[in-house]
Every structure is written in structure tokens, then in C-alpha cells.
Amino acid sequence: MKKNSPFIRYIGIILTIILSSLFFITIYSVDNKYTQSSVQPIDGMLILTEDDLDNNPSNFLIRGWRFYPNVLLTPEQYNENASELYSTYVSIGENTGLTDENGVAPHGYGTYVLTLVLPEKTETYALYLPEIYCAYRLYIDDEEIISIGTPEKDNYNAVTANRMITFDHSGSNAVTVMLAVNNESYIYGGMVYPPSFGTPVALNYQRGINLGLYLAVISIVAFIMIFCLFFAIRHKHQNAVLYTLMCFFTILFIGYPILHTGFTLSVFPWYAIETTSGYIVLFLTILVNNRICRVRHITNVISSAVSAAFCILIFTYTMNASFVSGVFIDLFSNIISCYKLLTAGYLLITGWHNTSEYNEIYRPLFYASLFYASSCVWDRILPMYEPIYGGRFIEYGCLALVLSIGFMLLKEIIQSYSYSMAFAEEKKQMTRQLAMQTEYSAQIKQQYEEKRRLIHDFRQHIRVINSMVNSSDNNELKQYLSELSYEITSDKGAQSIVFCENTAVDALIRYYAGIMDEKGIRSQFHLTIPKKLDISDVELCTVLGNLIENAVEACENQNCGDKSVSVSSTVKGSHLFIVIRNTFNGEIRKFRNCFMSSKGINRPGIGISSSMKIISNNSGSINITNNDSQFQVGITLPLKSET
């Protein structure tokens, strides 16, 4: 196997780190709600002019929300008591909890309020609320617009969904947006992701592109998953089984925008499944990596056990999120970050070892591990990232791992398929040779038994002749000798037809002649096979065997008419010409000048393709013609030149 130059590997590592870093910095800058240029609320109020909406028809509401902790306000309560209640200003995304008098807590309740001052004309506006990890009620002015779950403490029910609402505005009155939220169930609370406000066309366009990208990626992964599942079932390929599971959990991990757009889901167990799916992808990545990279047994056991244990820990953690404190959430968040970096480091170390010691087949996984490690690092360096259209850093990293392993597995599958086809062809040749040998042995046995019978009978004839000699009855002796001569020289199976002088080809033709006789197919053989051929007997028998077998199968598929196969050969100049003709039902399956198999499977016929390859390797040529009832194959092979 070809080893990689250390210099090339170092250059590849540096380029991967640079390019991946540029990628994450670029999407952070251009595909980030927090870096988009838009008008932001100030002190709980957003003022938008017509020019503002023309320049930015979609605005992400990040800063300046007025927040009232520990109260679930209705419009009536807000209008009556707002001035008497404690409030603060918050920015969406700065924390993942609800603020109370003791600081930031993941669990609790409160009310977000934002006043919108809009142009004085009749217009329809839209507000898009990405998934909020708690129950909430949304009010526009004095009207309740939507209710996701039940935020009231006495009847709390947590569900989540992505929702876009529209409302009409006219006149000069300001619009009050109020969001009463309650979180008693998850590790995040309140508005974690910035909502967007603007025209319905702009928000629908933005949401459509985002969902389209996710659907495209999921469709690709699903297609790969189905292909691998088929291969895993058909060939019992263990790596394909693991990769099928990896694709399935990848879809669960990255498919949340589509799920939350189409369905209203309960927090449990869906968020636990979604979160754990990402770590199951890493676990399966380690399993496949250990198998592909031939990791030592003890290392394989330890790494797999640690990764599996972490998946269980994550699932337990998310399922019991309602009982954890803010301090524990911060601690566990750091543990998760360390685990991701350690996983990336492990993949890099094993990948480096294999690209150093074995061959370049492991490069894709090694560089994908670098990309994943880079995604983990930049996720910590640039935490204020919320994509507009694409995915998050870690999602890109996991997708790179999945696709790299898929690429490696695809190469392995193609190679395995090629080997299986070659093995199938070899098995067919061996089966044919075994059948020929069995047939030849049966004929030898028959001839041997006939000779034994003749020898046994000949002893009796000797006794009769001796008796006749003693009796001096010459006429009877002459008649008896005449009958005995006829008996000995007559063909009673002791002799067999010789089709050609080439022993191997003769055995092959004898084998197929017997098959055609059993199947009622008329056969004709006129063969001249010289000794001086560039092609070996094994290759010649392979070519003839494949083509005669195809001819016999074509005759079997005939529904009517005479069935016949003829094989003839002659020497002209410095070449051997072989012609094989057979009748058939008139149906030919071809795709791009390639003859397809007649066995009901959508792939080229192995017999013809194998014969073409052998003939080409021996500087010969093959010509295939047909009419409505007859199929003909002409073969030209060079003779060995005299030295």
C-alpha cells in the first residue's frame, strides 16, 4: 500500500484548518442573525420607517426587549400594572434561561414585551417565532393570537413549534407584542433564538430557503441511508449497517426545523431524542472509525464504551432537565464541550496513525475529523451564532463526518461488489468445469464397464472358438468369427465422438452437447482449434463456455420455433475465427450499446462482458449481430507467430 508523504500530510492539515476556519468565520459573518444589519429595539420599543422596511423587509428582534420576571401578564394586567412591576431589558440569545431576582435560572416564568412603531399606512406584517423551549401565549395588542402549550402553573403543559403569524396594521397607533412564557421542563427557557419581524413575503422567502436547504440535505442523507440499508441486507455488510444507523440518527439530529414547522411536539421525549441523536452519531462514528482504521481491541472497547456511556448520560440528563439547576447546566455544558473536543482528538489520532502507516484511503475521515474539531473550537470562540439559512457549526461538523465515512464506505462497497462479481464469475467457471469433469468421468466409467463386459464375453467366445476348432466345423467357425468381428467393431458406447483435438475445448463442447440434447436443442459443431494460440486453454474455455451458455439460455427462452445452436471455427492466415449462432425469441435488452442480463436484474450481462474483456486482453476482437430470429457472435483471435 502506498504511504503518504509527511510533508503532504502536514500541508493537508494546515489547509484543512485554514479553510474550515475561513468557512466558519464566513458563515458567522454573512449567515448570522446577530451580525445582520437591521434596526434594533431600544428600551422595549422598535421604530420602523418605510425606508427601513424597504431596505430590510426582515428584521431580527435581538436587543431591547422589556422583560417582566416571575409574572405571566395578560394585556389587561399589563395595561393596569406595568408601571408597578419590576422589569429589565434583555437581549435574545445572551442567556438560555429566564431571569429572576437571583440571577439567571433555566426554569421560571415571565413576560416579554416589545412596542412596535410602524409606518402610518395599512399594511400586513409578519412575526416569526422559532422554537421556544417552554409553553407560551402570544398577544398582539389586546388580542391573544396563538397559544403553544399551557403556560399557567396550575395547568402547565410544555410543547414547542415554529410559528409565523400575520396581522394587519393601520393608523398611527403603536403595536404591542407580548409573550408570556413558562418553563418548568427543559434546560433552556424563554426566547433562546431571535424572532424575526417584517413583511410576510420576506419572512416566507427566508423560511422557505431555510427549510429547502434542510430538506435537500436530509434527502441526500436519506438516499444514502436507503442505499446502504439495501446493501447491508443483501450482503450482510456490518459497516453498512452501522452507517445506515448513522444516517438515520443524523436525520433525527438535523431534521428539527422541519419537524417543528410541521408539528407541535411535546418537550419530552422529543428534545431528549433530538439532542441524544447527535451524540449517537458520534458514537457510531467512533464504532465505524475503529473498524475501518483497525484500532487495537482494548482501545476499541474503551472508546466505544465511553462514547456509549455518554449517550446514555445525555439522554438521562435531558429527560430529567426539569430537576437540574442553572449551576449544574453550566458545568455540564463545559463537560459536553470537552467531550466533543476529545472525540475530535481521538478521531484525529487514529486517522493520523492510519494515514501514516497504511494508505490514503483514510484521508477523507482524517480531514473530516479536522473539520469537526474546527467546528467545536469555533463554536466556543463564536458562541453568538444563529444561522439564517443554514445549520449550526456542530451540525456542519457532524455532517462532514457522516459524508466522509459514506464516501469511504461507498468505495468499499464498489470494491466489494466488483470482487463479488469476479467471484461469481469464477464460481460459475468452476461449476462448469466440475460439471464437465463429472460428465467426462461418467463417460470414462461407461467405456470402462463396456470394455469389462467385452473382455468377460470374449473369454466365452474363446471357449466357443476352441470347441469349434476341435470339432473341425470350419463353416460354423467362419460364421461365428464374422459375427464376433461385427460385435467387437460395432459402436455400443465404448467409443465417443471427438469434437476437436483440443482436450479442454472437446470436454467443454461434449458437456454442452449433452445439455442441449437433454433440452431438445439441435446442435452442430465443426471445430478446428490449432495448438498455437495466444489465448490460454482456460481463457478460451471461459469465452466459449460463457457464449454457449448464453446461447442455450436464449434457446430455452424461445416460446416457439426450431431451437438450435451451432459452433464453428476455422483458421485463415494468422487468425482463428469462431462463430456461434443460436436462435432466440427476438428480444434483445441493450443499454448504451451494452447487452443487459436476461435474468431479470438491471445490470450488464456478465458472460458477454467477461468474454469481451478476455478477448480484448488477447488482442482479439468480437462482433455481435442479430436479426429477428438468430443471434450471432463472431470472434477473431491471433495465432502465435513463428519464431
Side-chain angles (χ1 to χ4, degrees), residues 261-282:
T261 299
F263 306 96
T264 299
L265 301 175
S266 60
V267 172
F268 298 113
W270 289 104
Y271 274 121
I273 293 173
E274 175 191 314
T275 304
T276 309
S277 294
Y279 295 95
I280 293 177
V281 171
L282 292 182

Side-chain angles (χ1 to χ4, degrees), residues 424-434 538 541-543 545-546 610:
E425 178 66 15
E426 183 178 350
K427 181 181 178 181
K428 186 175 74 171
Q429 301 299 336
M430 293 177 65
T431 302
R432 180 190 298 147
Q433 291 177 12
L434 179 61
V538 173
C541 286
T542 299
V543 171
N546 285 336
S610 174

